[in-house]
Amino acid sequence: MKILITGAAGQIGTDMLPLLLDRGDEVVVFDLAPRPATCPDGVVWLRGDITYPEEVNTVVEQTRPERIFHLAAILSATGESIPHRAWRVNMDGTRNVFEAARLFAVTQVFFTSTIAAFGPGLAQPVGDDVPLRPTTMYGLTKVAGERLGEYYENTFGIDFRGVRFPGLINAGIPGGGTSDYALFMYVNGMRDGRYEAFCTPETKIPFMYMPDAIRAMLELSDAPKENLKRSVYNIAAISPSAQEIADAVKARLPDVVITFAPDPRRQAILDSWPQALDDSNARAEWNWAHEFDLDAMSDDLMPKVRALLGDPTIRV
Ligand code: AKB
């Protein structure tokens, strides 16, 4: 199957590309960034700006993918520093993707939403069908993206699907998210022997290891449409406190020093997000089940981070 991925130079795309090639998909990437050295042979890498409809239309018209995985987005922390650019990329870019899918008969558009779509004060664990009152530009653009996808499905017949991702952790370069404190504990802890987290030790949000996240996208994308009662699903895996993550790193790196110095601005964002998600609909309708708990993730992640730190082509 021919698949177009927008924003594949980011956290998810980097790990997703080899998995798609391994299962025999034909993969085209559309990203503002140049082809990274890590990009596997066989991937067609087309550079362009998601905010320009003519560029998105040209790529979709020329490549004619069956499915688009729309990953291009500016995340929460970066989005708060450049909110107007975040609107352009996340809102205009998403509209451009749906419009190109309509114009050139793309069967399915897969959208990555987020726990940032939720706002403060919700009963825990947070379900699929609660009021969505996000406090960040990133979060509100993701809520709008969910509703826009449903509009394109209901109005133009595009098969729209998506997941609300927890904070994602992979052996990669943190992507400008407020949830990145977890990944920094591993990467900076291994690189520098220390890390000062910008949150409190008690901070608790949902997290997911990248192999689980990518498997979730592919399983939902391939699920029989008749089994699905909604388009966008909460998916969950683990909800460790920041202290528990620090303890998991320290259990494997006894000399690492992880301290906490909360940044009020980023702490307020984290406090507005769910502590835990109810993903029972995903588990019932398309058999979602995570595989990595905190220990299994830490055991698999840390050797990969060590290899990343030793790679001269990658600056972490
Ligand atoms: C972020 O921190 O902005 C993202 C997210 C939780 O969607 N990782």
Side-chain angles (χ1 to χ4, degrees):
M1 179 188 316
K2 179 174 276 192
I3 290 176
L4 171 67
I5 303 183
T6 69
Q11 191 184 15
I12 299 171
T14 304
D15 287 19
M16 188 174 185
L17 293 179
L19 296 178
L20 291 176
L21 292 174
D22 288 348
R23 69 175 210 169
D25 289 323
E26 196 179 341
V27 182
V28 180
V29 165
F30 180 69
D31 199 299
L32 192 63
R35 184 191 192 101
T38 55
C39 182
D41 295 338
V43 170
V44 174
W45 192 280
L46 303 175
R47 291 190 69 182
D49 189 328
I50 198 93
T51 66
Y52 290 105
E54 61 276 12
E55 294 192 20
V56 181
N57 288 345
T58 299
V59 166
V60 176
E61 182 178 22
Q62 288 180 352
T63 61
R64 298 289 178 158
E66 290 172 69
R67 297 182 188 173
I68 298 175
F69 284 85
H70 178 38
L71 308 182
I74 291 178
L75 301 184
S76 61
T78 304
E80 290 308 292
S81 61
I82 48 170
H84 306 298
R85 178 67 184 160
W87 174 276
R88 288 268 294 136
V89 171
N90 297 5
M91 287 304 303
D92 295 348
T94 297
R95 185 210 48 214
N96 294 341
V97 167
F98 284 126
E99 193 55 11
R102 177 185 71 83
L103 290 170
F104 304 109
V106 174
T107 304
Q108 182 187 111
V109 174
F110 196 98
F111 181 71
T112 51
S113 190
T114 163
I115 55 172
F118 299 106
L122 296 172
Q124 307 288 336
V126 173
D128 283 301
D129 300 319
V130 297
L132 299 174
R133 293 190 177 87
T135 63
T136 60
M137 176 62 83
Y138 169 65
L140 73 88
T141 64
K142 286 299 186 177
V143 172
E146 291 183 17
R147 302 294 78 77
L148 188 62
E150 289 162 355
Y151 176 84
Y152 268 79
E153 178 160 77
N154 297 332
T155 311
F156 305 114
I158 289 175
D159 177 1
F160 170 64
R161 308 184 188 195
V163 291
R164 292 181 183 139
F165 273 137
L168 298 182
I169 296 177
N170 71 321
I173 301 160
T178 311
S179 66
D180 284 347
Y181 64 86
L183 182 53
F184 278 125
M185 287 187 188
Y186 292 95
V187 173
N188 293 37
M190 296 180 80
R191 187 189 63 194
D192 310 329
R194 61 183 310 103
Y195 174 63
E196 183 174 83
F198 50 78
C199 63
T200 63
E202 300 75 24
T203 297
K204 180 179 286 194
I205 63 170
F207 279 102
M208 184 176 290
Y209 192 33
M210 191 61 76
D212 273 344
I214 293 168
R215 180 170 53 82
M217 287 198 291
L218 298 181
E219 288 179 359
L220 175 54
S221 180
D222 288 340
K225 189 72 174 180
E226 61 270 18
N227 296 350
L228 308 181
K229 299 185 175 75
R230 66 185 61 240
S231 296
V232 180
Y233 290 83
N234 288 355
I235 54 170
I238 56 177
S239 285
S241 69
Q243 185 62 63
E244 287 169 325
I245 300 169
D247 293 345
V249 177
K250 198 165 180 63
R252 294 156 179 85
L253 276 179
D255 296 335
V256 72
V257 175
I258 295 176
T259 53
F260 297 90
D263 161 32
R265 187 174 51 82
R266 285 182 285 186
Q267 188 66 50
I269 293 173
L270 292 166
D271 292 344
S272 74
W273 291 353
Q275 288 194 331
L277 290 181
D278 172 357
D279 62 356
S280 53
N281 291 320
R283 292 173 187 267
E285 295 173 26
W286 47 278
N287 301 313
W288 163 244
H290 73 283
E291 292 177 2
F292 286 88
D293 62 14
L294 179 58
D295 282 331
M297 176 182 74
S298 302
D299 289 340
D300 188 77
L301 173 66
M302 292 177 78
K304 292 176 178 173
V305 171
R306 191 173 306 282
L308 189 76
L309 293 171
D311 184 338
T313 67
I314 296 175
R315 185 172 57 83
V316 182

